[in-house]
Amino acid sequence: MSRRLGDRIELTKALIRVAIFLDGLADDLSDKIKQRDLRRESRRLWEEALQTSREIALYEFTHPLNGFQAMDPSQNMKLCEEALQVVKPQRDNFALGRIKEYLAKWTFYAAESSAGGDPVATVKLHTKALRYAEEAASHFDIVNHTSPIAGVLWVHSPYTEHFIRLAYHETNSERRSLLEEKSLRSTRELLKLSRERGSPRVRFYALFTSSRAKIEVAKREGDRQRRRNLLTRALSERLQANTLIQQIFGSKSWNFGVAIQGISDAQSKLAELEHDPKRKATLLTESIRNHEKSLRISVSFIQALEPSGPHFYTESVGRMHTQCGDLQLRLASITENNKEVRRATKFYLAAADWYEKIPRYDRSAECYWKSAECYDQLQAYSSASEYFKAASRSYTKFGRLVPPLSEHSRDYSRYLQAWSEIETARSHHLRQQFTSAANSYRRAANLYRATKRWRFLAPHYLASSMLESGEALSSKGDHKAAAEAFRQSATAFRDSKSSLKELLFQLEQPEMKNVAERLSNSPKDDYCLARLGLEKADIAETVQDYQTSFEEFGLASQKFDEISRLSHADDDRKEATFLARLCEAWQSVSGAELGNSVEPLIRARELFQRAKSLSPDERALRLARGHEALCEALIASRKFADSVDPAYHDKASKHLELAYEHFLDAGFKIAAYHARARRLLLDATFLLSSAESAETQQKKTELYRLADSLLRESSTEFRKARQPLGREQVRRLLQRSHSESEAPYPLVETLRAAADPSTTTTFIASARGGEKPVGVERFERGNIETNLDSFARVAGAENDVEFAIEISNIGKQSIRLLRLDEIIPVGTELVNDPDPWKPERYSLTHSSKVLAPTKTERVRLVLRLRTNGLLKMRPKVVFVDESGWRWERVMNQKIIPTSRILEFLASSFIKDNASRLQLEQCGWKSMMEIVKELKIPRSHVYGERRYGRAFGKQLDQLVKSSFVEYRIFPNERGRGGNITRVRLQLENDDVKNYIQELSSPEVFAPTVSSLSSPRTQSPISYIK
């Protein structure tokens, strides 16, 4: 009407008021599409109004309706500032109050989102926001108006929230505590005014903000009783606020998400006061559940806003992800389950993504840092290195963005880059690439040396580099050079510890002092001395000086026992005790040579058995088993030498083969070669001995020929095992076996080579500087593990299914991913854009995605299903390794149900099977049960008899495709009538496979372990 009358003033007012109404309405809708449509229309009306009459449109900002959020903070602030200039000449106190109230709101958001991490700029903006709020309240008081707007900074009592935010950005702990106490003191006024003058929305704001102030103060309260009282009062206020949530906010509004997060926060704080681990874990689990619910609501709200991209809520969402990661780690510390640690990494990385959008690089660096620590805890060292590097890059960007903090950022950037090198070194160490590990530690030391606050760490990591060099030399069999390297590294560690102890009194920051104190008490120098002793023992055994090896093994055992006593962590003590028992056992083996007795070998076998129970991981356990088997073989060999009983020969040969297998499985190839060389030597000796008692010359010649062949093989194995004494022993036996007239080499003397203990010093070197045990060895070449994960139906799009394909590199080499073949099955349509992967008919291609060891590539896809029934997927991953070899890996088949009716019938069958019904009775459902349970139209299942259709279109397709069968059950309806029931067609192979697949926890439908061993079902999951 205003357009027809040509009244520009009334038209502008109408446009503005409708725009405000539409935007406010969008806040209370849960339908994302409708939200976007409403906000898009609201923004269009605003722009039309500004073009029609800018002055009138700006004045309309003061209309009593609220809800305008269509633009980003900078645009809204500019419009509000321009509107303020329009309103000022009118001296309208209500209008001035409303404009300044808006300015307080948008300035508050700007302080939280666009300050770029500069604390000075943040404080200035918050102070400016407070001034606007105070001025707005003054204007409202003149006209006796109480504002109903209480999203942030309720203008009649803004101090509680203002001081909370100032405290959050304050780095000085004393000033922060003072600000938090100010916030707490101001809650009394806030609660009083909200009760007297506020609406339900204002009362909710007051309760929530007051409880938040109490929680913040309680975090740093040293008095346990006061802390408990504060948290109890905070919980009471959160519960009161919870009763107001549903009547105030829509299910998809920002404030609803904040309210749910408040409940989670209270539960988290209560968990801190719990002493019972089960109760604590329960509270944390419930807190995480509410926090994730809050995240889903908040993210959905932001994604519905126009325009897309960074928004003033972005930092809050990043912070919420970070907090959820922290909660997961707290739960992991109680349950000792790595699943929570993995979930924490996902939340931290998601938080980093949100922070990068603003950008708040200091916050993203913190999230990457936490992610790296999680991966280190999981021993995913390559991933940890990557995210420490990402944190380093974020600090570099932060320094560029905030020049006053560039030096601080540069120091932390180098510090985190050094940690990236340390994690890389640990990764190399796990692969027994000791030279590469040494290089990485050396680079870390150089990076520390380039910092100001962390340069005192450089000597320690330079010593670690020297230690890795010693391990490299030892693994190559160069024991003299290795001994010198261990001696130098022990001296370097000792010097580093002395300098750190002197520096302790000069360091002021707690984190640096803790690091220095921990390293100054590290037993790394003792570890190096123990390794030096082992190298001396190896050197002594090469010249058959068993007295020296006996002494050195004993000293090494004492060193490791001492390290165990000095260690604070249980894992460290266990590892050191394990190594001590190995050394003690090796000492007993050397004692057997000195005394020419079996008793020390029996003692060594017992020690190896004890070492098995102390094994820090599977690899160490196999090593201990290998030594135990080798010891059994030595005992049997001695008894064979004394009795010449073939049974002892067979026992010794069997245990030598067992030792070979254990050493090989543990990744110790040299020890495995030596065990095999001994077995071949033992068998050859047995043949030479048997040749002497042969009845005919032909038999004797044949035995000598076989012995000669075994001796040659044994010589080859001794060469591979780097055992020159063994090869020399074999050489002498070969010379004697070539002459039939000479007596064979004495059996007892020959068995000395098989009992030689020199290579039993196969050693597991610590991967984490004595802090954690070594992990399992990786595959020699590039290899992958794949998984089709997280199948879920997309809410609001019944025919759309979302899933992710995960490709993990579990080998030693980096690989290049080329294609994912048959990932888009026939009968489906790709909905989303999985950039940087490009769709190509039924496949996805990549220019060349490099996947480092232990890294995972996750590709998320949304497929639109065009068929009704079961869809089979069996993708194939095509990749090449570093050598250029091309490989293909076909993934396990996944079957996707494309019909809700079929899913329901599958769920029913599984439920009946779980209740131990007979197979013939499982899964039958009437058509009315299907209609009621799925809440679908009757026409989907009931056909029209007049047209000869027994079933509705959806059910009929399943029946005709042999996915579903039907049966008429007589005398079951009232008065003896018949009833038709349907269930899955169990004779259909695809249906059988689908049921079997439901036993896997990865699928999105109800699950069972198997048809014969059912378990309770899990619900179908949907994407909200």
Side-chain angles (χ1 to χ4, degrees), residues 164-222:
I164 287 176
R165 299 316 302 161
L166 288 188
Y168 175 79
H169 294 287
E170 179 57 61
T171 56
N172 182 279
S173 59
E174 293 183 2
R175 289 197 293 268
R176 181 166 187 161
S177 296
L178 290 173
L179 289 168
E180 288 169 346
E181 290 292 344
K182 279 187 175 183
S183 174
L184 180 62
R185 287 195 297 270
S186 66
T187 59
R188 183 175 299 177
E189 178 196 54
L190 174 62
L191 292 170
K192 180 176 179 293
L193 289 176
S194 70
R195 285 194 300 268
E196 294 175 352
R197 303 167 57 182
S199 63
R201 185 183 291 264
V202 170
R203 291 199 301 274
F204 170 82
Y205 167 84
L207 287 167
F208 186 84
T209 306
S210 175
S211 65
R212 187 176 171 191
K214 292 176 176 62
I215 287 175
E216 292 301 321
V217 173
K219 286 179 181 178
R220 292 166 181 79
E221 178 55 52

Side-chain angles (χ1 to χ4, degrees), residues 326-340:
D326 293 341
L327 288 173
Q328 293 286 354
L329 286 186
R330 285 177 57 190
L331 182 59
S333 67
I334 299 170
T335 62
E336 298 182 352
N337 191 333
N338 282 338
K339 180 177 71 174
E340 279 81 23

